[in-house]
Amino acid sequence: MIGEDYLRILDLIIVGGRTNFNDDNNNTCNYVLSLSFEELPSYLKHCFLYLAHFPEDYKIKVENLSYYWAAEGIFQPRHYDGETIRDVGDSYMDELVRRNMVISERDVETERFETCHLHDMMREVCLLKAKKKTSYKLPVPPFNCKLAVYCHISQACLPISYYFTC
């Protein structure tokens, strides 16, 4: 039962009104945070795992991230019926923020997501999950990047991918 796990974790973490993080509690916290990951739909799992590419405490520009996700083919076709890549990226980011998987900041005027980053503990979970996925490779410098350009030819959107070293 998930509810029992959360109560047990709460008892282990909070000791005398203070947070007590030792190795056992840290492993238990990672387990509970992993439960949040397991509840994500598959497309959001890929979005979340992609964040493992970025350094700790790095402020990721959500607009760029949307294009990275699109270049990797993470977007589900049913999610962008007439929407821009940025709109789909914002909707995915909104889901991750609502699930407390990602911390994000919005632009005051446009209310669009501007930057995001992972909490340190959530980043640990992200790195652990990314390493377990055999199909998911974390980059090793020099980074091999993939750039996808979408060409609109007579109502068809054709992806063209380029690989380069960055």
Side-chain angles (χ1 to χ4, degrees):
M1 297 257 177
I2 293 176
E4 291 173 6
D5 286 338
Y6 280 105
L7 290 175
R8 187 171 55 84
I9 297 306
L10 185 61
D11 288 339
L12 290 172
I13 296 173
I14 309 294
V15 177
R18 294 183 305 168
T19 304
N20 178 22
F21 288 106
N22 59 32
D23 285 340
D24 290 338
N25 287 347
N26 202 16
N27 288 337
T28 307
C29 286
N30 283 343
Y31 170 72
V32 171
L33 294 175
S34 292
L35 292 175
S36 297
F37 173 80
E38 297 303 330
E39 292 298 317
L40 291 174
S42 63
Y43 64 94
L44 283 181
K45 284 181 182 179
H46 294 291
C47 291
F48 179 72
L49 291 177
Y50 191 85
L51 299 176
H53 287 90
F54 297 94
E56 187 173 353
D57 297 326
Y58 183 78
K59 297 278 185 178
I60 306 161
K61 292 182 181 176
V62 174
E63 182 173 16
N64 294 346
L65 183 61
S66 299
Y67 287 98
Y68 300 154
W69 285 342
E72 293 293 332
I74 292 173
F75 288 166
Q76 300 289 314
R78 68 178 184 277
H79 293 147
Y80 57 88
D81 185 30
E83 292 185 304
T84 66
I85 289 174
R86 176 69 194 266
D87 291 338
V88 177
D90 277 355
S91 70
Y92 285 14
M93 182 57 61
D94 185 56
E95 286 188 65
L96 289 170
V97 168
R98 281 189 292 111
R99 293 168 183 261
N100 296 312
M101 303 290 290
V102 174
I103 301 168
S104 188
E105 294 153 13
R106 290 182 184 256
D107 182 279
V108 178
E109 292 176 14
T110 64
E111 294 194 15
R112 289 194 104 147
F113 292 106
E114 289 300 313
T115 62
C116 71
H117 66 279
L118 293 172
H119 184 279
D120 293 345
M121 294 190 74
M122 196 54 91
R123 185 169 189 277
E124 284 182 39
V125 171
C126 184
L127 291 171
L128 288 171
K129 295 294 182 181
K131 287 178 185 174
K132 286 182 182 177
K133 297 282 183 191
T134 56
S135 64
Y136 202 81
K137 303 277 192 249
L138 290 176
V140 177
F143 299 118
N144 290 321
C145 302
K146 177 178 161 183
L147 171 66
V149 179
Y150 288 85
C151 299
H152 293 281
I153 302 171
S154 67
Q155 307 268 328
C157 186
L158 305 172
I160 303 170
S161 296
Y162 297 97
Y163 290 88
F164 60 95
T165 300
C166 55

